[in-house]
Each structure stands twice: as C-alpha cells, then as structure tokens.
Amino acid sequence: MKKWSAPATVLLSLYIPPGRPIPDVLNLLRQEYSIAQNIKLKRTRDAVTSAIQSAIDRLTQIPKVPDNGLVIFCGENFETEESKCFVFSPPEKVTIFFYRTDKYFHTEFLEDMIEENDVFGLIIVERDYATIGILKGTRIEVLDEFEGFVPGKHMMGGQSQRRIDRIIEEMYANFLKEVGEKANSYLLPYLESGKLKGILLGGPGYAKKDFYDGDYLDYRLKKLVLLPLIDIPDQGDAGLKELVMKAQDILKNQKYVQVQNLLEELKYHIAKDDGLVVYGIEEIRKALHMGAVDSLVIYDEPNSELEKLSQEAENYGTKVYVVGDELPDAEWVKKTFGGAIGKLRYKIY
C-alpha cells in the first residue's frame, strides 16, 4: 500500500475504532462525497468520488465494526490506472478515528502494529480502581480502565464489626480477582505470540502488593512482573505514562524511555543555548555530512522530506527515533522544529 501514489489527494484512508457506529461514518462519507463534487479538475473529482463511493458501498454491507476496528483504503493507482478498495480488521485495535484523502495511503498506524515486537504489560491497581495497558515502541495504550465497589472500614464494634470487615475483605479480594482475569485476557495473547517481555505493576497503596502476592495473575504472567513494584498516584493514561517513566532504570533500553530522555536532554541544551542542538532539515543534513549528529528525533510523516532525512541519518550511523502523536512531545517536535530535532556530538558553529 505504501507504493501507491497519486499526483493529487485522491487516495482514501479510513480508520474506524471499535464501538463507532457505522451509520455515523456513512453520514461523514456522504458529506465528503457532496463536498468532492465541487472539485474543479474532472480527473481528480472522479477519482475522489469513486474512492468515497467504494468505501460507502462496502461499509453498507457491514452491520457492526469488529472488535479490533476497521481499516479501509480505496483509490486509483494512477500509474496502472487500477482502482481498488481494501477493507479489513487489523491484528490489533484501531485506537483513533482517522479519515483523509491524500497523495498516498496513511499506513503509519498499521506499521506501528507490526514493526514493534517488544511489548510490556502495564497494570495499575488500587483498592477499588484499576488500569490495564501496554507499552509498545513509543506508544502507550490503555486497554481497560474500570472501577469496583469496595467500602471503607466501618466502626460498629463487636461481632457486627468483624462480619462487616469479612464482607469488605471479600469484596476487595473479588475486585483483585477481576483485575487479574482482565489482565490475563489482555496480556496472555501477547505472551503466547512471544511479544510480551515484561509487566510493570504499580499503584498508590498496598493493593499492588496484595495483587502481586495473591494468585490473581496467570502464573506465566506473574513470572514476567518486573520488580520492584512502583508507587503511582494516578490511573488512566496519565498513570500509565508515569508508571513507565518511573521504571526507566528497568526499561532503559526501551524506545519510549530513550526518546523521552533524549527530548528532556534536548530541552536542557536549548535552555543553556550551548550549541548542541540542531533543527531544520537542511541544517540537520549539513551536520549529518560532518558526522556531528549523535541522535535525531523525527516526526512520523510518510513520503515526506522527513522520511528521506530519517533514512539518510541511519546511513550515517545516527540514532534515529521516529515518533508519532502517541508521544506527548511529538507535537512540540512537529510545530516548533518542523518535525526534526537532533543532538550534536560537538558544536559545529
């Protein structure tokens, strides 16, 4: 799909996450079809409307978005004058809704699914709340976030107090059991495919230790829990990101941690204005030719000058980190520095 190209923005890429109602997507496509009727160039207009109509025709035959979502690529290969429409559910969940007609198909979201083999499980558990996620490359994904009902301690005294305490402890154990069952269902497929390299377990209090000490995780997963357990006050996406960064000594060779540390180092050099940062495609290219670029962060923009720069930098032995919007500072790299920023081995000016 990456080899397909067009002289105009006529190649349709559509990513639909699970849970998105198909009628809503069809309404969007019909609106885009009406807008495309106003394109002045007949060849371009025909190509765009044909691609949108092909997507509509196929979507109307699908009653519900599959569990992993849907991906649709429709368009004409201008070199062969061949029109095709590909519709499939990917091997992993689609996490965004994305629609665009462009000069190329947007395959970058699929590439992230298949290129990174090392996966780390992420679990944050407290007395009545839990988040389960994965770390893959530079992408952290929340797989599930859920709440239980576990009351606090009651002070009634006597036998009533002991009975209530037993009930509360039973509810607590049942919640930890639920966390374990969900973690098993999400993480065992990665283990069985050989991708799961470890599990980070954290939380704000004693629940993480109770969860680890108990028989809540499948024994194969429990062997992969990386110690020590990590104190984390937050849940959700923010909590998972903090969990990963607090485990950077454990994950020092993992891409997400390496990129985050490099970006922090770049910010430090920018603040000092010590001449050890380079940005701008031509300036970076000159520094590469001098052998002066140690590391480079490039925003993921396929079929662009940035992609060419990435390939050129690798040829010079530079460490290259390609980042997408899943990384918190990716937008900073894109908007402030035009999509590329590097650390120099030495000052060149």
Side-chain angles (χ1 to χ4, degrees), residues 184-319:
N184 292 339
S185 68
Y186 285 118
L187 299 181
L188 279 175
Y190 290 106
L191 175 71
E192 289 162 357
S193 65
K195 293 183 177 181
L196 190 68
K197 304 304 178 186
I199 296 173
L200 297 178
L201 175 57
Y206 56 82
K208 59 182 178 292
K209 186 175 187 305
D210 290 344
F211 181 75
Y212 178 73
D213 290 342
D215 295 323
Y216 301 110
L217 272 179
D218 183 284
Y219 74 96
R220 294 167 292 174
L221 294 178
K222 190 171 181 179
K223 290 178 181 177
L224 291 178
V225 174
L226 303 172
L227 300 176
L229 307 181
I230 300 167
D231 289 325
I232 295 293
D234 296 321
Q235 292 278 355
D237 184 61
L240 294 184
K241 288 174 180 173
E242 186 179 357
L243 178 68
V244 170
M245 292 313 297
K246 281 196 171 183
Q248 57 184 295
D249 288 341
I250 302 171
L251 300 176
K252 58 186 176 183
N253 293 322
Q254 209 283 329
K255 187 178 177 184
Y256 182 94
V257 173
Q258 290 176 341
V259 176
Q260 288 286 58
N261 288 340
L262 174 58
L263 288 169
E264 290 303 314
E265 192 175 350
L266 288 168
K267 291 175 185 178
Y268 170 78
H269 289 303
I270 290 170
K272 285 187 66 178
D273 194 22
D274 56 12
L276 291 177
V277 173
V278 62
Y279 52 89
I281 290 177
E282 291 308 315
E283 293 301 314
I284 291 173
R285 189 165 277 130
K286 289 176 186 175
L288 284 172
H289 295 169
M290 298 168 64
V293 183
D294 174 76
S295 309
L296 194 60
V297 180
I298 293 181
Y299 184 78
D300 188 6
E301 206 164 334
N303 299 332
S304 67
E305 284 299 312
L306 292 173
E307 187 174 57
K308 295 176 185 174
L309 182 67
S310 173
Q311 294 169 353
E312 190 173 347
E314 288 178 351
N315 292 336
Y316 278 92
T318 298
K319 294 190 288 287

Side-chain angles (χ1 to χ4, degrees), residues 45-62:
R45 181 174 67 248
D46 290 347
V48 173
T49 54
S50 175
I52 296 174
Q53 187 61 53
S54 294
I56 290 173
D57 291 343
R58 283 153 179 82
L59 266 182
T60 54
Q61 301 175 39
I62 300 173

Side-chain angles (χ1 to χ4, degrees), residues 159 164 217:
Q159 291 184 350
I164 290 173
L217 272 179

Side-chain angles (χ1 to χ4, degrees), residues 107-120:
T107 61
E108 60 267 32
F109 306 111
L110 293 175
E111 291 166 32
D112 189 47
M113 292 180 185
I114 61 176
E115 287 183 352
E116 190 61 52
N117 287 321
D118 289 355
V119 174
F120 287 85

